[in-house]
Structures are given as C-alpha cells and as structure tokens.
Amino acid sequence: MFVAGAGMAGLVTAARARELGLKPTVIEKGDRPGGSMLLSSGVVWRHRSLEEFRRDCPRGDERLQRLVFERLDDGLAWLERLGAPVLARETDNPRTVGRRFGARALTAALLRAAGNVEVRRELAAGQKGPIVLATGGFPVRLARERGLLLRSNPWSEGGGLDFATARGAATTDGMAEFYGRAMPAPPARWAEDHFVDHAQLYGLRARVVDEEGEEIPIDPDDWSENGLVQAIAARGGTAWYVVPREELDAPTPYGTIGEAIERARAVGGDVEPRPHGAFAVHVAAAVTHTIGGVAVDERARVLDRAGAPIDGLYAAGVDVGGVATGGYASGLAAALVLGLIAAEELAS
C-alpha cells in the first residue's frame, strides 16, 4: 500500500491503515510532513446540518457531503484517541461544529501513528498500486495560472491529479474554484506563520472596491468570505477594503479589525487613511486549496470517465473534487473522513 502525500489526508490514511494491520509506505514531495495542515488554524469542522452544507455548497456531490457530515464526529473522536490535544471543543462559529487542534501537535500525533514518511520523494509515473493519492490538490498551479498569491504549502502542484488523469480518471466540476483568503497585497511580505492571523477577515464590514474603483457586491450570507475572495480573484486579484472608523473595534477571528489592519501595515501592506477616520487596506486573493479535483465514489475509489472505479487507485483530501463545489467547507474535515475511508476500504 502506497500513500502519496503526508498532509492531513495522507497521514490519516496511513495511521488508520496501520491500526488495521496494513504496512503503508508514505512519501512526501516536500521537505517535511504536515502539508498545508501544518499551516492551518487547526479547526476541523462541519456544518450543523446536511441541509446547511448543501445550501452553502450547492453544486457539491451530495454523496460525499453526506459522508463528511455523518462521519466527522467519529473521526474527531479517533483523532483524540491518537493523542491529538484539543485546544477548543467549539469552533466559535454558530453555523459550524467541530474541534480546534494545535496544528503542530495534530501533525505530530498523526506522524506517530502513521510511521515513517519518506520526504523529498515524488510520485513516480509507473508506481504500482494500491495507491492513495493525497497530494493536496493543485493550488500552486492554480495560483500561478490565475496570477494569484499562494497561501498553502509550496509543493502541491497537482501531482496526484496528473497521476490520476493519466490513468483515465474523471475530474469534477469546479476546477477553477478554490478556498482562499484576502491577504495583505504586495508590497506586503508575509510568511507561512502569517497565513492564519494576517488574513483580512472583515470584508463583510467594509466597502470593497476593485482597482477601477468599482464596488464589489457582497453577499451578506457569505459568512466565510470565500465568495468575496472568488469575486476579488475574478476582478484581477486585488481590491481595497474601506473600513469606517466605527468598525475598527469590531471582532474578527483573530482580534479586532483595527488589529488586523495593523498586522497588514506591519508587513509592508498599503494602508491609506480616508476621510472621517476610515482606512483603506489593499488586499489580494490568496489560494489555500483547490475545490475541483479527481472524481471518487463513497469508498474513496477513483473513478474513470465512464464512472467505473480504477483498480487499485484511491484518493483523499483535496485531491478529491466535488465536496465543496460552489461554496466552502472544511478541507481538513474532508481529508480526515476520506483518509479513514480509504484505509478501511484497502483493509476490507
């Protein structure tokens, strides 16, 4: 059994496979395990109801959405049994439920259970199966092709996608969609340890305008602000958040709006004073992970273009497309659930 990728999906697959008596070999293209999980907030969540999941991600695959919704709670309990320390048992979002883990501690717990990871090793085109693809989607490629910033690990170029399609795999809708955040725009310089708290998560409390000064409409139900990021990406990738003075003390997930603006200023971002105490902050759309990807069934088996499983080929995490098409859902949740399913399928 061969697992390509050592992020959340790959490590979960390997850890569960070992529990079930298999001996997985895990390879990682990068120079460390953890993938983009290591750079995340560590929150693994689901919507409070399947209906809300469907409403937020209306073009997603209902079969996969149901799997994530129904199996996530058991998956979270499994992580705790592995020894992953829980920082919070609530998400601080009334629309979601889940757990907050420390990203480094979660990675360490999964590594202990998964066994050895061979780093700086890429998936060979002729690799024999069974194979679980967990390479993190293709955010690097998508960001480059669309001229957007990158807010993920630097190795997820789409190796799993290319491997699968070369073997006849189908892809899903939403290949141009991504989950991302509005980050301080260049000349701001931010690093991996800024990915979480330097995100400018207050678009719903601002007036957002593109580089031509045209207002970007905001959907008041866009609670994640991922829809706003897609709109910024479609307008050239950058925009201005104009924040009135009375909103500066309003909360964001990481301090007040005023504090978020000061973090943008501290890394060299453009922050301009406006009349009546307002500020305009230059932001840019940054890609965290892709939403489209390889088509799979409820058993994590990769499907060909006729809808039939490809022998010995599985996928998990955001190499799988179709879970959140048309919206936004937790990538870590899908990685956890599909990683467990892939391992259990291989052990059956």
Side-chain angles (χ1 to χ4, degrees):
M1 174 185 173
F2 200 82
V3 180
M8 175 68 134
L11 293 178
V12 165
T13 302
R16 181 62 176 143
R18 284 191 180 279
E19 281 187 340
L20 297 172
L22 302 179
K23 296 181 179 180
T25 296
V26 185
I27 65 166
E28 167 56 52
K29 179 180 179 180
D31 60 14
R32 56 153 177 81
S36 292
M37 167 179 62
L38 193 62
L39 312 175
S40 74
S41 65
V43 180
V44 189
W45 59 272
R46 63 167 172 80
H47 293 79
R48 288 192 174 271
S49 71
L50 182 59
E51 292 71 25
E52 290 175 280
F53 197 163
R54 294 291 301 148
R55 185 166 59 248
D56 274 358
C57 306
R59 293 188 290 109
D61 186 329
E62 186 172 359
R63 301 168 307 153
L64 301 182
Q65 291 174 343
R66 185 178 297 276
L67 280 178
V68 172
F69 179 79
E70 292 180 348
R71 292 205 50 175
L72 182 63
D73 293 351
D74 288 343
L76 292 171
W78 177 82
L79 286 178
E80 290 191 56
R81 290 196 297 273
L82 286 186
V86 176
L87 300 183
R89 295 189 174 277
E90 301 293 338
T91 64
D92 294 329
N93 182 339
R95 301 179 66 150
T96 66
V97 295
R99 301 283 187 272
R100 181 184 293 275
F101 299 89
R104 291 187 179 279
L106 176 58
T107 302
L110 284 169
L111 268 173
R112 288 193 298 270
N116 185 52
V117 173
E118 300 177 26
V119 297
R120 299 186 178 89
R121 181 178 168 189
E122 296 194 40
L123 180 61
Q127 179 65 49
K128 302 300 182 183
I131 300 167
V132 180
L133 302 173
T135 65
F138 53 102
V140 179
R141 180 190 303 178
L142 183 70
R144 182 175 62 247
E145 290 175 350
R146 296 189 60 181
L148 304 174
L149 301 184
L150 184 69
R151 185 180 172 267
S152 79
N153 77 75
W155 306 297
S156 292
E157 289 265 7
L161 175 69
D162 292 343
F163 185 92
T165 55
R167 297 194 175 192
T171 56
T172 67
D173 291 340
M175 296 298 286
E177 294 181 33
F178 65 93
Y179 156 61
R181 288 294 187 217
M183 299 294 290
R189 295 173 63 88
W190 34 269
E192 289 182 346
D193 58 352
H194 297 140
F195 280 4
V196 175
D197 68 352
H198 282 54
Q200 304 294 291
L201 270 169
Y202 49 87
L204 295 181
R205 291 180 175 268
R207 187 169 67 90
V208 183
V209 296
D210 65 18
E211 299 296 348
E212 306 301 319
E214 294 292 326
E215 190 156 347
I216 298 177
I218 297 175
D219 179 356
D221 200 41
D222 182 23
W223 61 272
S224 69
E225 300 193 20
N226 193 51
L228 176 57
V229 174
Q230 310 305 301
I232 293 170
R235 299 277 191 107
T238 58
W240 290 87
Y241 284 5
V242 183
V243 184
R245 179 176 59 186
E246 59 269 23
E247 294 285 3
L248 295 177
D249 290 329
T252 78
Y254 305 100
T256 66
I257 292 177
E259 289 167 340
I261 291 172
E262 284 307 308
R263 285 192 287 270
R265 194 198 308 271
V267 293
D270 289 331
V271 178
E272 299 179 354
R274 293 290 170 91
H276 310 297
F279 287 96
V281 185
H282 203 204
V283 300
V287 180
T288 300
H289 67 70
T290 41
I291 287 178
V294 176
V296 302
D297 64 11
E298 299 97 321
R299 295 160 64 181
R301 300 179 300 180
V302 175
L303 303 177
D304 67 18
R305 296 177 186 97
I310 297 174
D311 187 48
L313 192 59
Y314 304 80
V318 294
D319 274 352
V320 173
V323 177
T325 315
Y328 168 57
S330 170
L332 293 180
L336 171 57
V337 168
L338 288 165
L340 291 170
I341 288 171
E344 291 161 6
E345 178 66 17
L346 281 162
S348 64

Coordinates of all heavy atoms in Angstrom, one line a residue, residues 1-37:
M1 N 0.9 -1.2 0.0 CA 0.0 0.0 0.0 C 0.9 1.2 0.0 O 1.8 1.4 0.8 CB -0.9 0.0 1.2 CG -1.7 1.3 1.4 SD -2.6 1.3 3.0 CE -3.3 2.9 3.0
F2 N 0.6 2.2 -0.9 CA 1.4 3.3 -1.1 C 0.6 4.6 -1.0 O -0.5 4.7 -1.6 CB 1.9 3.2 -2.6 CG 3.2 4.1 -2.8 CD1 4.4 3.6 -2.5 CD2 3.1 5.3 -3.4 CE1 5.6 4.3 -2.8 CE2 4.2 6.1 -3.7 CZ 5.4 5.6 -3.4
V3 N 1.0 5.5 -0.1 CA 0.3 6.8 0.1 C 1.2 7.9 -0.4 O 2.3 8.1 0.1 CB 0.0 7.0 1.6 CG1 -0.8 8.3 1.8 CG2 -0.8 5.8 2.2
A4 N 0.6 8.7 -1.3 CA 1.4 9.8 -1.9 C 0.9 11.1 -1.2 O -0.3 11.5 -1.5 CB 1.2 9.9 -3.4
G5 N 1.7 11.7 -0.4 CA 1.4 12.9 0.3 C 1.3 12.7 1.8 O 0.7 11.7 2.3
A6 N 1.9 13.6 2.6 CA 1.9 13.4 4.1 C 1.3 14.6 4.7 O 1.8 15.1 5.8 CB 3.3 13.2 4.5
G7 N 0.2 15.1 4.2 CA -0.6 16.1 4.9 C -1.7 15.4 5.7 O -1.5 14.2 6.0
M8 N -2.8 16.1 6.0 CA -3.8 15.5 6.8 C -4.3 14.2 6.2 O -4.4 13.2 6.9 CB -5.0 16.5 7.0 CG -6.2 16.0 7.7 SD -5.9 15.7 9.4 CE -7.4 16.5 10.1
A9 N -4.7 14.2 4.9 CA -5.3 13.0 4.3 C -4.3 11.9 4.3 O -4.7 10.7 4.6 CB -5.8 13.4 2.9
G10 N -3.1 12.1 3.9 CA -2.2 11.0 3.8 C -1.8 10.4 5.1 O -1.7 9.2 5.3
L11 N -1.6 11.3 6.1 CA -1.2 10.8 7.4 C -2.4 10.0 8.1 O -2.2 9.0 8.8 CB -0.7 11.9 8.3 CG 0.6 12.6 7.9 CD1 0.9 13.7 8.8 CD2 1.7 11.5 7.9
V12 N -3.6 10.5 7.9 CA -4.8 9.8 8.4 C -4.9 8.5 7.8 O -5.1 7.4 8.5 CB -6.1 10.7 8.2 CG1 -7.3 9.8 8.4 CG2 -6.1 11.9 9.2
T13 N -4.8 8.4 6.5 CA -4.8 7.1 5.8 C -3.8 6.1 6.3 O -4.1 5.0 6.6 CB -4.6 7.3 4.3 OG1 -5.6 8.3 3.7 CG2 -4.7 6.0 3.5
A14 N -2.6 6.6 6.4 CA -1.5 5.7 6.9 C -1.7 5.3 8.3 O -1.5 4.1 8.7 CB -0.1 6.4 6.7
A15 N -2.1 6.2 9.2 CA -2.3 5.9 10.6 C -3.5 4.8 10.8 O -3.3 3.9 11.5 CB -2.7 7.1 11.4
R16 N -4.6 5.1 10.1 CA -5.7 4.1 10.2 C -5.3 2.8 9.5 O -5.7 1.7 10.1 CB -6.9 4.7 9.5 CG -8.2 3.8 9.5 CD -8.6 3.6 10.9 NE -9.9 2.8 11.0 CZ -10.2 1.9 11.9 NH1 -9.3 1.6 12.9 NH2 -11.3 1.3 11.9
A17 N -4.6 2.8 8.4 CA -4.1 1.6 7.8 C -3.3 0.7 8.7 O -3.4 -0.5 8.8 CB -3.4 1.9 6.5
R18 N -2.4 1.4 9.5 CA -1.6 0.6 10.4 C -2.4 0.0 11.5 O -2.2 -1.1 12.0 CB -0.5 1.5 11.0 CG 0.7 1.8 10.1 CD 1.8 2.5 10.7 NE 2.9 2.7 9.8 CZ 3.8 1.8 9.4 NH1 3.7 0.6 9.9 NH2 4.7 2.1 8.5
E19 N -3.4 0.8 12.0 CA -4.3 0.2 13.0 C -5.0 -1.1 12.5 O -5.3 -2.0 13.3 CB -5.4 1.2 13.4 CG -5.0 2.3 14.3 CD -6.2 3.2 14.7 OE1 -7.2 3.1 14.0 OE2 -6.1 3.8 15.7
L20 N -5.2 -1.1 11.2 CA -6.0 -2.2 10.6 C -5.0 -3.3 10.1 O -5.5 -4.3 9.4 CB -6.9 -1.7 9.5 CG -8.0 -0.8 9.9 CD1 -8.7 -0.2 8.7 CD2 -9.0 -1.5 10.8
G21 N -3.7 -3.2 10.4 CA -2.8 -4.3 10.1 C -2.1 -4.2 8.8 O -1.3 -5.1 8.4
L22 N -2.2 -3.0 8.1 CA -1.5 -2.8 6.8 C -0.2 -2.2 7.1 O 0.1 -1.7 8.2 CB -2.4 -2.0 5.9 CG -3.8 -2.5 5.5 CD1 -4.5 -1.6 4.6 CD2 -3.7 -3.9 4.9
K23 N 0.7 -2.2 6.1 CA 2.0 -1.6 6.2 C 2.2 -0.5 5.1 O 2.8 -0.8 4.1 CB 3.1 -2.7 6.1 CG 3.0 -3.7 7.3 CD 4.1 -4.7 7.2 CE 4.0 -5.7 8.3 NZ 5.1 -6.7 8.3
P24 N 1.7 0.6 5.3 CA 1.7 1.7 4.2 C 3.1 2.3 4.1 O 3.9 2.4 5.1 CB 0.7 2.7 4.7 CG 0.7 2.6 6.2 CD 0.9 1.1 6.5
T25 N 3.5 2.6 2.9 CA 4.6 3.4 2.6 C 4.1 4.8 2.3 O 3.3 5.0 1.3 CB 5.4 2.9 1.4 OG1 5.9 1.6 1.7 CG2 6.6 3.8 1.0
V26 N 4.6 5.8 3.0 CA 4.2 7.2 2.8 C 5.3 8.0 2.2 O 6.4 8.0 2.8 CB 3.7 7.8 4.1 CG1 3.1 9.2 3.8 CG2 2.7 7.0 4.8
I27 N 5.1 8.7 1.1 CA 6.1 9.6 0.5 C 5.5 11.0 0.5 O 4.3 11.3 0.5 CB 6.5 9.2 -0.9 CG1 5.3 9.3 -1.9 CG2 7.0 7.8 -0.9 CD1 5.7 9.3 -3.3
E28 N 6.5 11.9 0.6 CA 6.1 13.4 0.6 C 7.1 14.1 -0.3 O 8.3 14.0 -0.1 CB 6.2 13.9 2.1 CG 6.2 15.4 2.2 CD 4.9 16.0 1.6 OE1 3.8 15.6 1.9 OE2 5.1 17.0 0.8
K29 N 6.5 14.9 -1.2 CA 7.3 15.6 -2.2 C 8.1 16.7 -1.5 O 9.3 17.0 -1.9 CB 6.4 16.3 -3.2 CG 7.1 17.1 -4.3 CD 6.1 17.7 -5.2 CE 6.8 18.5 -6.3 NZ 5.8 19.1 -7.2
G30 N 7.6 17.3 -0.4 CA 8.3 18.4 0.3 C 9.3 17.9 1.2 O 9.6 16.8 1.3
D31 N 9.9 18.9 2.0 CA 11.0 18.6 2.9 C 10.5 18.3 4.3 O 11.3 18.2 5.2 CB 12.1 19.7 2.8 CG 11.5 21.1 3.2 OD1 10.4 21.1 3.8 OD2 12.2 22.1 3.0
R32 N 9.2 18.3 4.5 CA 8.7 18.0 5.8 C 7.3 17.4 5.7 O 6.6 17.7 4.7 CB 8.6 19.3 6.7 CG 7.7 20.3 6.0 CD 7.1 21.3 6.9 NE 6.3 22.3 6.3 CZ 5.1 22.2 5.8 NH1 4.5 21.1 5.9 NH2 4.5 23.2 5.2
P33 N 6.8 16.6 6.6 CA 5.4 16.2 6.7 C 4.5 17.3 7.1 O 5.0 18.3 7.7 CB 5.4 15.0 7.7 CG 6.9 14.7 8.0 CD 7.6 16.0 7.7
G34 N 3.2 17.1 7.0 CA 2.2 18.0 7.5 C 1.5 18.8 6.5 O 0.3 19.2 6.7
G35 N 2.0 18.9 5.3 CA 1.3 19.6 4.2 C 0.8 21.0 4.6 O 1.4 21.7 5.5
S36 N -0.3 21.4 4.1 CA -0.9 22.6 4.5 C -1.7 22.6 5.8 O -2.0 23.6 6.4 CB -1.9 23.1 3.4 OG -1.2 23.5 2.2
M37 N -1.9 21.3 6.3 CA -2.5 21.2 7.7 C -1.6 21.9 8.7 O -2.1 22.6 9.6 CB -2.6 19.7 8.0 CG -2.9 19.4 9.5 SD -3.0 17.7 9.9 CE -1.4 17.1 9.4

